[in-house]
Amino acid sequence: MPSRFSANRKKRGDVSAGHGRVGKHRKHPGGRGKPSGEHHHRTLFWRYHPGHFGKIGMREFHIAKNSYFCPTVNLDKLWTLVSEETRKVYKDRTDKAPVIDVVKAGFFKVLGKGDLPKQPVIVKAKYFSKLAEKKIKAAGGACVLRA
């Protein structure tokens, strides 16, 4: 839009340019940004930013988040960690069982959701849920703990 059509051009010569004579058009009358959220902007903060002020929870001083890091994998996804070829090779063998190291795949804990094929397998992990351990052993496999 050319500047000759702007509202500002139309206001030229008018003393207060549409901003009123009494309450003048000053720079930042309410304050810049979010100041006074607990004072004269309180209703706005209550309405549009509930929970903005205050604290929640308990302080934990030297938080080491890596101690809580424990990615999980369910039994129904366990065989996706090795190739389909590997599963077929060991399908009919009874003297050997494939080893699935879930830690190498980036998981720490094995959970018991889903079913395993009736095929023995050795699973290496840092942690096992009770149900996962029960299902792996029921299929003729073994649970090996590793660091």
Side-chain angles (χ1 to χ4, degrees):
M1 181 179 89
S3 59
R4 67 178 185 272
F5 296 137
S6 71
N8 192 44
R9 297 306 311 158
K10 293 187 175 69
K11 307 272 179 159
R12 285 288 183 223
D14 185 38
V15 174
S16 45
H19 291 294
R21 287 173 184 265
V22 181
K24 293 153 194 67
H25 187 215
R26 296 280 158 86
K27 297 275 183 162
H28 298 279
R32 292 175 197 247
K34 296 185 197 167
S36 306
E38 292 195 283
H39 302 289
H40 60 280
H41 291 158
R42 178 171 287 198
T43 53
L44 176 136
F45 270 76
W46 281 348
R47 180 178 296 167
Y48 299 112
H49 307 286
H52 180 84
F53 295 107
K55 297 174 183 176
I56 194 163
M58 191 171 71
R59 292 195 301 171
E60 188 172 339
F61 290 115
H62 182 74
I63 187 163
K65 290 194 176 172
N66 53 349
S67 61
Y68 300 111
F69 181 77
C70 187
T72 58
V73 64
N74 279 306
L75 285 181
D76 54 1
K77 301 284 183 203
L78 199 63
W79 279 101
T80 62
L81 303 179
V82 291
S83 64
E84 187 67 27
E85 197 176 291
T86 308
R87 193 170 80 79
K88 286 179 182 169
V89 167
Y90 287 101
K91 187 167 187 159
D92 301 320
R93 295 184 69 168
T94 53
D95 57 332
K96 278 189 174 181
V99 177
I100 301 176
D101 193 345
V102 297
V103 180
K104 269 189 185 167
F107 301 103
F108 284 4
K109 186 170 184 173
V110 179
L111 302 177
K113 180 187 163 203
D115 295 315
L116 277 176
K118 299 285 180 227
Q119 184 176 347
V121 63
I122 298 164
V123 184
K124 289 185 172 182
K126 289 187 175 192
Y127 311 102
F128 292 91
S129 70
K130 284 180 187 173
L131 187 62
E133 197 170 351
K134 184 176 152 190
K135 285 183 180 180
I136 291 168
K137 287 178 179 171
C143 299
V144 180
L145 292 173
R146 62 156 284 182

